[in-house]
């Protein structure tokens, strides 16, 4: 059926029409990496018009482009005024993603529909093809520095909510405490469906306990650890040395928001990334990309709260240079991508 419709529409080679799991037709433009949904009524009209395109004096190639790129969900046509606003604020790509995933169908977990049984069956089939083992990232052979295990005793007291109450003298191991409380594992979840590694529990929530986020530390001035760039390993809390601190010019280019704009001297930067496959293994739908940002937001807030309770300042930003940060950390953006940065420093130190 797909070939018949593709032929009828004279779809160019870089546009692929596919049928989604809910029966709806989708148009993928491989040149622009965009996807559009076509409702059944629109598709029927397009096929009818395409069949008589030559007689009507229409260009089949142009018609195919209109079908695949110009006609999206009914009621979501975008005006040029809206487009200009999105472009001016760099929102257009995000808007396209939200439109493409709007009203995406999910399993019905009500007792009548039996979604839980379907879910368990699917996950069992996935694990037989590929074991669910991706939990943490590690750098074997790297120089390591231990972190304390997370516990309530690592924080000095109530979270400081104002500059006045926060300006206490930080303990000498404040940075280690913050990293432990934000990223250290506090337990495990063992699955009854195998093969699968135990899932981790942390102080911040994560959908399905997938915890796709990784953390890296740029230590620029805290004396607890040597200056350098480290990966934060959660299960046996430790820092793993992965790179040297870049020269100041490169540092400013990588962290054009966190390091350049912070209202205090930045002694360290915590970078949060996402290992996308870790989440996609369990949640194989387009909206999964939304959830990883919630994970990162929780982690950033935990860093902020822990730091405040220990007398440190924080400055969280999402606008640093992801290509430069990923290149310095040796990451491929389609496998593990930058999400946000948190600058850390002392209250008494001006920039």
């Amino acid at each position: 059926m797909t070939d018949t419709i593709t032929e009828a529409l004279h779809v160019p080679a870089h546009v692929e029409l596919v049928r989604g799991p809910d029966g709806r037709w989708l148009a993928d433009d491989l040149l622009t990496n965009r996807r559009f949904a076509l409702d059944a009524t629109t598709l029927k009209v397009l096929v009818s018009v395409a069949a008589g395109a030559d007689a009507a004096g229409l260009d089949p190639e142009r018609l195919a482009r209109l079908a695949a790129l110009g006609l999206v969900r009914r009621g979501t046509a975008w005006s040029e005024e809206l487009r200009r606003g999105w472009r001016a604020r760099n929102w257009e790509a995000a808007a396209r993603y939200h439109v493409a995933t709007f009203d995406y169908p999910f399993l019905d977990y009500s007792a009548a529909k039996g979604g839980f049984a379907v879910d368990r069956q699917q996950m069992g089939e996935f694990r037989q093809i590929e074991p669910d083992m991706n939990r943490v990232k590690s750098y074997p052979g790297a120089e390591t520095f231990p972190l304390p295990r997370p516990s309530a005793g690592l924080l000095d007291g109530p979270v400081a909510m104002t500059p006045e109450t926060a300006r206490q003298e930080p303990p000498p191991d404040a940075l280690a405490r913050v990293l432990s409380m934000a990223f250290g594992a506090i337990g495990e979840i063992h699955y009854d469906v195998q093969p699968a590694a135990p899932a981790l529990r942390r102080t911040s929530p994560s959908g399905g306990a997938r915890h796709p986020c990784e953390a890296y530390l740029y230590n620029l001035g805290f004396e607890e650890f040597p200056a350098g760039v480290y990966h934060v390993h959660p299960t046996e809390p430790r820092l793993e040395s992965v790179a040297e601190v870049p020269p100041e010019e490169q540092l400013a280019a990588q962290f054009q928001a966190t390091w350049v704009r912070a209202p205090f001297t930045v002694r360290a930067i915590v970078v949060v990334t996402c290992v996308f496959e870790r989440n996609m293994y369990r949640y194989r739908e387009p909206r999964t990309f939304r959830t990883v940002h919630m994970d990162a937001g929780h982690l950033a807030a935990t860093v902020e709260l822990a730091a405040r309770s220990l007398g440190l300042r924080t400055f969280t930003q999402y606008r640093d240079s992801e290509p430069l940060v990923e290149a310095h950390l040796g990451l491929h953006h389609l496998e593990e991508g930058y999400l946000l940065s948190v600058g850390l420093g002392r209250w008494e130190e001006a920039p």
Side-chain angles (χ1 to χ4, degrees):
M1 181 64 175
T2 304
D3 293 340
T4 302
I5 292 180
T6 301
E7 183 179 352
L9 286 174
H10 304 278
V11 175
H14 58 83
V15 174
E16 181 180 11
L17 294 181
V18 296
R19 200 162 193 176
D22 61 344
R24 290 182 294 184
W25 286 96
L26 307 170
D28 286 340
D29 184 347
L30 305 182
L31 289 183
T32 61
N33 195 27
R34 292 170 177 169
R35 166 170 284 189
F36 301 92
L38 306 175
D39 61 69
T41 302
T42 300
L43 194 62
K44 290 177 182 177
V45 171
L46 289 169
V47 172
S48 299
V49 174
D54 293 335
L58 299 176
D59 181 359
E61 180 83 5
R62 179 171 176 76
L63 179 64
R65 294 287 295 173
L66 289 173
L69 306 177
L71 297 172
V72 295
R73 289 186 199 279
R74 187 180 305 164
T76 59
W78 301 343
S79 69
E80 185 56 33
E81 182 179 359
L82 276 176
R83 289 176 185 272
R84 283 196 298 270
W86 292 335
R87 292 190 194 107
R89 296 168 177 82
N90 199 28
W91 291 347
E92 187 170 14
R96 290 182 179 279
Y97 169 72
H98 282 291
V99 168
T101 59
F102 178 76
D103 197 27
Y104 188 84
F106 294 96
L107 280 174
D108 187 338
Y109 285 92
S110 64
K113 297 296 184 179
F116 281 106
V118 174
D119 185 281
R120 287 177 60 85
Q121 179 182 347
Q122 288 180 343
M123 292 309 303
E125 292 172 352
F126 293 157
R127 286 174 177 147
Q128 295 307 312
I129 298 172
E130 179 184 359
D132 184 13
M133 309 301 291
N134 189 339
R135 295 291 181 268
V136 297
K137 185 177 182 180
S138 184
Y139 289 82
E143 184 179 11
T144 62
F145 298 86
L147 295 173
R149 292 195 174 274
S151 67
L154 291 183
L155 303 183
D156 277 0
V159 174
M161 300 306 293
T162 67
E164 290 73 22
T165 57
R167 293 184 183 184
Q168 57 180 303
E169 180 63 26
D173 60 346
L175 180 58
R177 295 191 195 190
V178 170
L179 296 174
S180 173
M181 290 302 294
F183 304 108
I186 59 175
E188 293 183 343
I189 302 172
H190 293 267
Y191 293 109
D192 56 356
V193 180
Q194 294 296 323
L200 301 182
R201 292 186 184 275
R202 292 184 178 180
T203 56
S204 294
S206 178
R210 302 305 298 179
H211 292 289
C213 291
E214 296 285 340
Y216 298 84
L217 170 70
Y218 281 65
N219 185 30
L220 311 176
F222 282 99
E223 297 177 354
E224 300 174 44
F225 308 106
V229 181
Y230 303 90
H231 171 252
V232 184
H233 194 288
T235 55
E236 298 175 7
R238 64 180 184 267
L239 297 182
E240 300 173 317
S241 179
V242 297
E244 295 181 355
V245 173
E248 186 169 312
E249 182 179 343
Q250 295 180 24
L251 193 68
Q254 287 186 41
F255 299 102
Q256 51 197 270
T258 307
W259 192 72
V260 174
R261 297 177 56 200
F264 54 86
T265 299
V266 177
R267 286 175 166 259
I269 300 173
V270 175
V271 172
V272 176
T273 66
C274 177
V275 178
F276 302 110
E277 181 183 346
R278 201 176 294 162
N279 234 42
M280 288 300 295
Y281 184 98
R282 176 67 179 84
Y283 302 107
R284 306 187 178 199
E285 56 266 344
R287 282 193 183 179
T288 295
F289 187 61
R290 298 185 186 184
T291 66
V292 301
H293 294 280
M294 292 191 287
D295 278 42
H298 280 296
L299 290 169
T302 302
V303 170
E304 292 173 352
L305 293 172
R308 287 178 186 176
S309 77
L310 296 169
L312 297 177
R313 297 184 73 175
T314 62
F315 188 67
T316 301
Q317 290 289 303
Y318 300 80
R319 295 180 55 196
D320 288 322
S321 175
E322 58 228 274
L324 295 181
V325 173
E326 290 163 358
H328 190 73
L329 294 175
L331 309 179
H332 190 290
H333 65 280
L334 294 181
E335 297 173 351
E336 181 179 351
Y338 166 91
L339 293 183
L340 60 84
S341 314
V342 184
L344 296 169
R346 297 176 179 271
W347 280 97
E348 70 276 12
E349 295 178 337

